[in-house]
Amino acid sequence: IQQGEVKDLNLIIKADVHGSIEALGEALTKLSNEEVKVNVVHSATGTITESDISLAAVSNAIIIGFNLRPTPKVQAFAGEENVDMRFYNVIYDIIKDVKGAMVGLMESTYKEHVMGTAEVREVFQIPKVGAIAGSYVTDGKIERRQNIRVVRDGVVLYEGKNSSLRRFKDDAKEVQAGYECGIGVENFNDIKVGDILECYYLEEIRPEIE
């Protein structure tokens, strides 16, 4: 499996006292994982300044303010520079929000669910449409517009979308095991008798941080 590039989540921490900065910096950098690295690009006590906004803009950082409030001038400047400023008075809330930002940068994984399989018994060439597989559903069900995989002698030839599904001359939303149907595979016409068509969908699994 190809390793993805590590993404950076850059933070600027401003707090009322130095102890808060140390506690926050340590807690937040510990959140780094294989996919997202949390970097504290700058930290200091005292209110947020225009130079903090400028640094956040060039380093693509989120400004975390702890027990602070910005001046209207600084707020306006942050708006102009599209800088994200967030203000807190509970460290736990910061950790929860930074975890949320990290999840937003992480890639989803996908779990495959096979819905059904069909065996190609005949192939019909339809003008302006292409090859339609006259098939017998051997297992589960075939659903229209789902992902479909063409398998020949155990080898996957093609993966795409199920472009059409018919029972006799009528469009069908799904066809259950034990029934015959006509199946079209989008952008694929090299269907042969004996091919197996697998209908499946992918479940997106969003990443989580413990």
Side-chain angles (χ1 to χ4, degrees):
I1 297 170
Q2 190 177 348
Q3 289 288 89
E5 288 183 12
V6 176
K7 293 174 181 171
D8 288 309
L9 180 61
N10 294 331
L11 304 174
I12 291 170
I13 300 174
K14 297 299 291 279
D16 54 343
V17 293
H18 191 69
S20 300
I21 288 171
E22 286 187 336
L24 275 169
E26 192 177 341
L28 295 173
T29 51
K30 269 186 187 170
L31 295 176
S32 295
N33 60 25
E34 290 176 354
E35 285 191 62
V36 182
K37 185 170 184 249
V38 179
N39 303 307
V40 178
V41 295
H42 176 63
S43 62
T45 55
T47 191
I48 294 160
T49 64
E50 289 188 18
S51 63
D52 293 327
I53 305 294
S54 298
L55 177 60
V58 296
S59 58
N60 196 24
I62 298 170
I63 295 178
I64 304 283
F66 187 68
N67 285 337
L68 301 174
R69 295 304 304 163
T71 65
K73 189 180 175 187
V74 163
Q75 271 187 313
F77 188 46
E80 287 169 20
E81 296 292 322
N82 292 318
V83 167
D84 187 358
M85 290 196 299
R86 304 182 187 187
F87 301 96
Y88 306 89
N89 52 19
V90 179
I91 285 180
Y92 171 77
D93 290 339
I94 301 174
I95 291 168
K96 192 170 75 172
D97 266 15
V98 169
K99 281 182 178 179
M102 290 174 68
V103 165
L105 293 172
M106 291 164 69
E107 301 289 338
S108 293
T109 54
Y110 293 88
K111 184 179 179 183
E112 182 184 299
H113 298 272
V114 175
M115 300 169 71
T117 53
E119 184 186 326
V120 179
R121 301 271 174 95
E122 279 186 86
V123 179
F124 306 98
Q125 294 293 338
I126 310 294
K128 296 182 181 178
V129 173
I132 298 294
S135 308
Y136 178 80
V137 183
T138 54
D139 183 57
K141 64 179 179 179
I142 304 295
E143 263 190 28
R144 194 164 69 185
R145 296 309 301 167
Q146 288 289 1
N147 297 311
I148 203 136
R149 179 181 288 129
V150 182
V151 182
R152 185 175 300 160
D153 300 325
V155 177
V156 176
L157 286 188
Y158 185 79
E159 293 190 68
K161 284 283 184 192
N162 170 351
S163 59
S164 67
L165 182 64
R166 291 192 152 205
R167 278 273 296 142
F168 302 109
K169 290 186 176 180
D170 298 321
D171 284 333
K173 191 179 173 187
E174 63 178 48
V175 178
Q176 300 279 347
Y179 291 94
E180 293 181 335
C181 59
I183 301 171
V185 181
E186 203 167 75
N187 301 321
F188 185 78
N189 289 313
D190 186 30
I191 295 171
K192 292 195 166 38
V193 172
D195 287 351
I196 301 297
L197 303 179
E198 268 187 1
C199 181
Y200 67 97
Y201 72 92
L202 297 172
E203 176 194 2
E204 183 180 7
I205 299 167
R206 292 292 302 151
E208 292 180 359
I209 298 174
E210 295 298 325

